[in-house]
Amino acid sequence: MAYVSCRHYPGRRLRRCSFVALLITLAYDDLVVPLRKNCPEAMDISNKAGVTPHDLLQWMKPEQGNVKNESSCVDPEQQWREKLLGECQEEFFETFGQYDGDFLWDEKDEEDFGNWADRIRREYFTKQRAKEQREASSSGQKKSKRHKKTEEDEKSSKELRARLEREHEEYLQRAARKEEETRRGRKRRYEERCAATFHSSSSKEPEGLLGYDDIPWPAPRGSLEEMVAVMLHGADRSDLTAFRKLLRRQQALWHPDKFFQRCGGRLQETDRQKILDTVTGLSQELNRLAQSLR
């Protein structure tokens, strides 16, 4: 049903009869006609007051000819209903359309689809630019931090490499010093044992027999080459005169005949042959080294 505000017309009120007739016609078409067509039985169903839709229609019909005297056939109930209906109509006409302005849109504030789409597009691109700027700023900071971290890592790596190289060099030096001390200690013990075994006073008879382990070998568990290395340790081979002198002294010390003259009578029978074979091999090794120097 269409509602029409009284303010939209020049006068404050419409002509009541025409407007009521219009409302009644619309109500009849919207309510009564479908009810009669689809459910005619409902026209005779009464409400709590005992009034049926058919009765209401009869009351709303205009008076026709041969109407009885109003004073004799006035129904108090019907009269009260008509009065109530009049009051309702009066109140309806007074208040109808009073609050329509509260729900009317201001045409100046209306936003059509094109303007709305443009606004949404501007807001979207504004947010996208702000997001890109934040990402660019964050990426720049991360790149700067990554570059700084890379430089720090390279510097730390170089320092670590230099420290490891320095420690390795120190380790090699300590190992070389230890090896030199070990070789010096072996030669010192070798010379001390040779003096005790071969250079004892002739007036004093040596005591005890000599087994294989009692011989002052330069390297008791080493090879012939290792024994020669211990004998000649510390000698300057660039000074051939001094080096040959040291070599001849060792040749005389380990010559098989001279060794047998000094110690042959003291050798244990179980180790005699092994001792003589080692002395012969050591003498031959010294002779080969002397031959290479000529």
Side-chain angles (χ1 to χ4, degrees):
M1 183 183 295
Y3 295 99
V4 182
S5 175
C6 295
R7 76 178 72 180
H8 296 162
Y9 294 89
R12 183 61 181 174
R13 296 187 180 182
L14 299 174
R15 296 180 64 183
R16 184 175 300 181
C17 294
S18 300
F19 192 73
V20 171
L22 176 62
L23 293 178
I24 292 174
T25 302
L26 293 175
Y28 184 84
D29 293 339
D30 293 340
L31 299 176
V32 179
V33 174
L35 187 63
R36 279 184 171 180
K37 182 178 179 181
N38 298 319
C39 188
E41 296 84 0
M43 297 297 296
D44 296 326
I45 298 175
S46 61
N47 58 10
K48 292 182 179 181
V51 182
T52 64
H54 182 73
D55 296 337
L56 293 176
L57 292 177
Q58 293 297 326
W59 294 342
M60 295 177 64
K61 287 183 178 180
E63 296 181 356
Q64 299 180 356
N66 299 325
V67 181
K68 296 181 179 180
N69 189 8
E70 293 181 1
S71 60
S72 60
C73 62
V74 172
D75 187 358
E77 181 70 18
Q78 182 178 356
Q79 186 177 7
W80 180 85
R81 291 180 182 278
E82 290 178 354
K83 184 176 181 180
L84 182 61
L85 178 61
E87 294 293 335
C88 292
Q89 291 176 352
E90 181 71 19
E91 183 178 358
F92 172 76
F93 293 134
E94 291 292 336
T95 61
F96 183 77
Q98 183 176 353
Y99 303 103
D100 288 351
D102 296 340
F103 302 97
L104 293 178
W105 287 18
D106 189 357
E107 295 181 356
K108 295 181 180 179
D109 297 334
E110 288 185 358
E111 184 180 29
D112 59 10
F113 180 78
N115 295 335
W116 175 82
D118 292 338
R119 180 173 59 81
I120 296 299
R121 180 177 60 83
R122 288 194 300 271
E123 293 178 357
Y124 172 76
F125 284 113
T126 301
K127 292 181 179 179
Q128 286 295 109
R129 284 195 297 270
K131 182 179 179 181
E132 292 175 357
Q133 291 176 357
R134 289 195 302 270
E135 291 178 352
S137 177
S138 177
S139 176
Q141 293 178 357
K142 290 181 179 179
K143 186 176 181 181
S144 177
K145 291 181 179 179
R146 185 164 54 249
H147 181 68
K148 185 177 180 180
K149 185 176 181 181
T150 302
E151 292 180 351
E152 292 178 353
D153 292 342
E154 291 179 356
K155 183 178 180 180
S156 177
S157 178
K158 290 180 180 179
E159 292 177 354
L160 177 61
R161 191 182 303 111
R163 182 169 60 84
L164 292 177
E165 291 177 354
R166 186 169 58 254
E167 291 179 356
H168 180 66
E169 185 67 23
E170 292 176 355
Y171 168 78
L172 294 179
Q173 292 175 1
R174 288 195 302 269
R177 288 195 300 268
K178 187 173 182 62
E179 181 67 20
E180 180 65 19
E181 292 175 359
T182 302
R183 291 179 183 273
R184 288 179 181 178
R186 288 177 180 177
K187 185 175 182 180
R188 185 176 62 254
R189 287 192 298 271
Y190 162 69
E191 292 176 347
E192 291 174 354
R193 293 185 66 191
C194 286
T197 304
F198 299 142
H199 303 293
S200 60
S201 176
S202 58
S203 60
K204 184 178 179 180
E205 187 68 22
E207 297 179 358
L209 297 177
L210 297 174
Y212 185 85
D213 293 335
D214 297 326
I215 304 300
W217 307 113
R221 299 292 184 270
S223 62
L224 296 176
E225 291 80 2
E226 292 175 349
M227 291 184 181
V228 173
V230 173
M231 293 177 185
L232 304 177
H233 178 71
D236 187 6
R237 299 199 179 197
S238 62
D239 188 356
L240 294 179
T241 303
F243 185 73
R244 286 194 181 102
K245 183 178 180 180
L246 176 61
L247 186 57
R248 285 194 298 268
R249 188 165 59 249
Q250 295 300 323
Q251 285 176 312
L253 185 64
W254 294 100
H255 191 276
D257 295 338
K258 293 181 180 181
F259 178 81
F260 189 78
Q261 290 175 3
R262 287 192 301 269
C263 302
R266 300 174 58 199
L267 298 179
Q268 294 180 1
E269 290 297 329
T270 56
D271 294 338
R272 177 183 294 273
Q273 190 60 43
K274 183 179 179 181
I275 293 171
L276 294 178
D277 291 342
T278 303
V279 171
T280 301
L282 186 56
S283 177
Q284 291 174 355
E285 188 69 24
L286 291 172
N287 293 334
R288 275 195 297 271
L289 180 58
Q291 289 292 334
S292 66
L293 297 176
R294 293 180 182 177

